[in-house]
């Protein structure tokens, strides 16, 4: 196949950051996707509709592209009130709440310390239909970093679902066969996003020939058997699985450090990397469902009407992108050749 035309995709999980970084990365996302669910883990986090209104304005300025629609999320804290949930639902542009367990990942110190503290907010979400997006990892120091997702399912997600059976939940950036199986065995109110890195890389990529900080993200890459399970889920066409890049830019200095940040920047070639993964599975015919249909269907939004075309033209991903500050941003697959190119 030389060309592939699909309905314009959406990104159901992206970090656009703020200021200089926002100005650099947001146009990449807007160029590929019609809509994107924007994560609220700024410093300080986007915890209220008022802060989200201000942030969405900064995003719209940064992308300068009328075709692109940012969909906003609020950062759930121990103190999020039911009133804030009602305001969010009424706002029409806030589409979800994001649960970060406190300390789980980048800028999550304001995260939830005990999910039971959020009962009032969760009840209001269940009532209004606003989904909860979960970073599905426990942070207890005694839990092995590779087991954090599985333990989260047992200790947090299952009890949460039992207490709020109608709550819509997106299990974000799933990384294990356990998560795939869990999602498949639950009702239609539970969906999951999958990133390009978890489809294309296993945990060996973090250690190939030396320590590779640009392949470090959270949840951390897992064993090959888990990658295979994710590939099967994504390419099955099953409505519960949809595209969420988790593109999470950090400057080169913050990645190549004695304590490097978690996050992989993938917005520069996201749909091309997904196409690469689907092609490896001989499943390019399933890309459109995963990238363009299952997400809006889950969120109860209309599907996009325009299309994009991918062409099988190899190109070399840049080693880095310059930022206005003089710093640089290293993209996923830096310096590597990729076979697909978004041409319009
Ligand atoms: C994200 C970030 O940098 O904001 N990092 C990451 O590794 N994915 C946070 C997150 O989604 O965990
Ligand atoms: Zn994320």
């Amino acid at each position: 196949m030389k060309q592939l035309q699909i309905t314009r995709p959406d990104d159901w999980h992206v970090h656009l950051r703020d200021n200089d970084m926002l100005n650099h990365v947001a146009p990449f996302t807007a160029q590929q996707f019609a809509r994107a669910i924007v994560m609220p883990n700024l410093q300080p986090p986007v915890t209220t509709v008022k802060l989200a209104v201000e942030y969405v304005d900064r995003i719209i300025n940064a992308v300068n592209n009328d075709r692109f629609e940012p969909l906003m999320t609020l950062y759930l804290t121990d103190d999020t009130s039911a009133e804030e949930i009602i305001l969010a639902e009424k706002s029409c542009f806030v589409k979800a709440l994001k649960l970060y367990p406190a300390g789980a990942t980048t800028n999550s110190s304001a995260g939830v310390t005990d999910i039971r503290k959020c009962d009032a907010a969760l009840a209001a979400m269940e009532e209004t239909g606003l989904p909860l997006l979960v970073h599905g990892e426990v942070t207890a120091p005694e839990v092995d970093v590779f087991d954090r997702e599985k333990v989260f399912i047992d200790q947090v997600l299952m009890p949460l679902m039992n207490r709020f059976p109608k709550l819509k939940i997106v299990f974000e950036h799933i990384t294990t066969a356990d998560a795939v199986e869990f999602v498949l065995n639950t009702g239609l109110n539970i969906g999951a996003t999958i990133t390009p890195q978890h489809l294309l890389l296993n945990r060996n990529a973090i250690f190939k020939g030396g320590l590779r900080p640009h392949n470090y993200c959270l949840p951390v890459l897992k064993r090959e058997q888990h990658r295979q399970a994710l590939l099967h889920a994504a390419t099955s066409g099953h409505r519960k699985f949809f595209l969420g890049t988790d593109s999470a830019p950090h400057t080169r200095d913050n990645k190549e450090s004695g304590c490097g940040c978690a996050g992989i920047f993938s917005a520069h070639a996201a749909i091309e990397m997904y196409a690469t993964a689907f092609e490896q599975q001989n499943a390019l015919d399933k890309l459109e469902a995963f990238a363009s249909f299952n997400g809006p269907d889950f969120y109860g939004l209309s599907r996009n009407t325009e299309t994009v075309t991918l062409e099988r033209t190899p190109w070399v991903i840049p080693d880095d992108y310059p930022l206005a500050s003089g710093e640089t941003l290293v993209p996923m697959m830096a310096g590597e050749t990729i076979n697909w190119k978004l041409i319009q």
Side-chain angles (χ1 to χ4, degrees), residues 200-251:
L200 288 172
L201 305 173
N202 64 33
R203 64 191 194 177
N204 287 353
I206 309 169
F207 307 105
K208 194 174 163 200
L211 195 55
R212 302 279 183 164
H214 299 291
N215 289 336
Y216 172 56
C217 65
L218 287 170
V220 73
L221 297 173
K222 302 294 191 306
R223 283 178 183 278
E224 178 61 12
Q225 78 197 57
H226 294 297
R227 186 180 81 92
Q228 290 296 333
L230 297 172
L231 274 171
H232 281 119
T235 60
S236 67
H238 198 295
R239 62 200 279 187
K240 282 169 162 267
F241 300 103
F242 41 95
L243 185 159
T245 61
D246 196 20
S247 179
H250 294 276
T251 61

Side-chain angles (χ1 to χ4, degrees), residues 45 84 86 101 149 271:
E84 198 65 44
I86 312 269
E149 188 172 274
I271 193 65

Side-chain angles (χ1 to χ4, degrees), residues 13-15 39 41 98 100 135 173 218 246 248:
H13 182 135
V14 68
H15 300 266
M39 289 297 121
N41 63 331
K98 176 69 192 250
Y100 288 104
H135 182 107
H173 41 54
L218 287 170
D246 196 20

Side-chain angles (χ1 to χ4, degrees), residues 5-49:
Q5 195 182 56
I6 58 168
T7 301
R8 185 176 286 280
D10 302 303
D11 185 349
W12 299 96
H13 182 135
V14 68
H15 300 266
L16 294 181
R17 312 300 195 206
D18 219 340
N19 306 316
D20 182 24
M21 189 63 98
L22 169 66
N23 292 332
H24 278 87
V25 301
F28 284 109
T29 293
Q31 205 214 329
Q32 298 216 331
F33 298 105
R35 297 168 288 196
I37 283 272
V38 182
M39 289 297 121
N41 63 331
L42 304 183
Q43 263 180 329
V46 181
T47 48
T48 62
V49 175

Side-chain angles (χ1 to χ4, degrees), residues 182-193:
F182 171 79
V183 170
L184 285 173
N185 287 327
T186 54
L188 288 178
N189 54 323
I190 314 294
T193 55

